[in-house]
Amino acid sequence: EADIYQTPRYLVIGTGKKITLECSQTMGHDKMYWYQQDPGMELHLIHYSYGVNSTEKGDLSSESTVSRIRTEHFPLTLESARPSHTSQYLCASSAGTSGERDTQYFGPGTRLTVL
Amino acid sequence: KNQVEQSPQSLIILEGKNCTLQCNYTVSPFSNLRWYKQDTGRGPVSLTIMTFSENTKSNGRYTATLDADTKQSSLHITASQLSDSASYICVVSDRGSTLGRLYFGRGTQLTVWP
């Protein structure tokens, strides 16, 4: 079982609310990632970080933002949630970006529903 | 266009039976290929990783094969158990970027019936 945690596990909110999805890992990994996954579809990378104070946008355009102030913590924020943001959000971390070090360890996910 | 295609989309088998899941990819350059298992409502968990020079890798009842020439991989599950019910995701990594970009398949949804 990977030492990577996400809260909340489930969230139902109304349109226009600001939300923050929490992700933390205790493995000391420098690389962290946020993915979005819809049922029956592939994972899409929306944000990643190589280390503290380093964040980049991923392949899928997202209205969310991230921050990396501490190595172990990588929160994702939506300033104004919309129904189109309804999805599963998965956080992951890895020790590196090549070979075995690129094995990503995933959290349990946050299922977000915006009404 | 770099893609990862998995088949079948879904599969139902009886407990104790074997099955094989397929993954075809067009990703180039190729760095490695992983199979992940994703239980419903959970994050994916890595099962195997194979590089260009590896043909077969086993992890308990899971055996993955790789043919880098035809760009095909398979995951064979032996003596299936109810706990094998999950989505199995093929993930291919390239060497073309600093990130070592990952390409995800949509997964094969396996259901094992008693």
Side-chain angles (χ1 to χ4, degrees):
Chain A
E1 196 78 16
D3 296 323
I4 180 164
Y5 311 97
Q6 291 185 245
T7 57
R9 291 293 314 279
Y10 304 92
L11 181 60
V12 181
I13 61 168
T15 297
K17 298 293 185 182
K18 177 181 178 179
I19 61 169
T20 296
L21 307 184
E22 301 288 349
C23 175
S24 60
Q25 50 94 7
T26 58
M27 296 174 282
H29 288 169
D30 285 330
K31 322 299 183 195
M32 295 190 74
Y33 316 83
W34 275 103
Y35 291 91
Q36 189 172 338
Q37 184 183 32
D38 293 317
M41 302 297 288
E42 64 266 47
L43 277 72
H44 290 286
L45 181 67
I46 52 176
H47 296 284
Y48 63 95
S49 167
Y50 276 162
V52 172
N53 295 325
S54 159
T55 62
E56 300 287 345
K57 290 188 179 295
D59 310 314
L60 183 67
S61 175
S62 173
E63 294 164 349
S64 58
T65 59
V66 292
S67 64
R68 190 88 182 276
I69 298 174
R70 303 197 316 264
T71 298
E72 63 272 21
H73 196 214
F74 191 40
L76 180 145
T77 298
L78 275 168
E79 290 294 333
S80 180
R82 293 206 302 267
S84 60
H85 295 140
T86 295
S87 189
Q88 165 109 333
Y89 292 84
L90 289 163
C91 180
S93 70
S94 69
T97 56
S98 64
E100 289 282 355
R101 291 173 58 80
D102 190 28
T103 297
Q104 299 201 359
Y105 296 86
F106 286 85
T110 293
R111 169 65 65 184
L112 174 65
T113 302
V114 183
L115 303 176
Chain B
K1 181 180 177 183
N2 289 325
Q3 285 186 312
V4 177
E5 300 287 344
Q6 293 188 242
S7 63
Q9 182 176 339
S10 62
L11 181 63
I12 299 174
I13 62 173
L14 294 177
E15 187 178 14
K17 299 296 186 182
N18 304 333
C19 67
T20 300
L21 315 179
Q22 299 291 342
C23 173
N24 296 336
Y25 62 93
T26 59
V27 177
S28 181
F30 172 86
S31 177
N32 57 66
L33 183 149
R34 286 177 171 80
W35 283 93
Y36 280 85
K37 178 187 179 188
Q38 184 177 22
D39 292 314
T40 301
R42 309 291 297 181
V45 175
S46 178
L47 293 175
T48 63
I49 174 176
M50 286 186 293
T51 58
F52 187 88
S53 59
E54 295 176 297
N55 300 118
T56 303
K57 185 163 282 188
S58 292
N59 178 2
R61 295 180 295 103
Y62 301 102
T63 299
T65 65
L66 174 65
D67 186 334
D69 292 330
T70 62
K71 297 188 176 182
Q72 295 179 326
S73 176
S74 66
L75 180 69
H76 185 75
I77 303 175
T78 303
S80 61
Q81 300 176 358
L82 299 179
S83 59
D84 291 333
S85 295
S87 179
Y88 291 84
I89 303 171
C90 177
V91 184
V92 180
S93 173
D94 70 8
R95 294 192 301 265
S97 71
T98 307
L99 177 64
R101 190 197 157 157
L102 302 181
Y103 297 85
F104 289 82
R106 293 186 175 185
T108 291
Q109 183 64 48
L110 174 66
T111 303
V112 181
W113 283 1

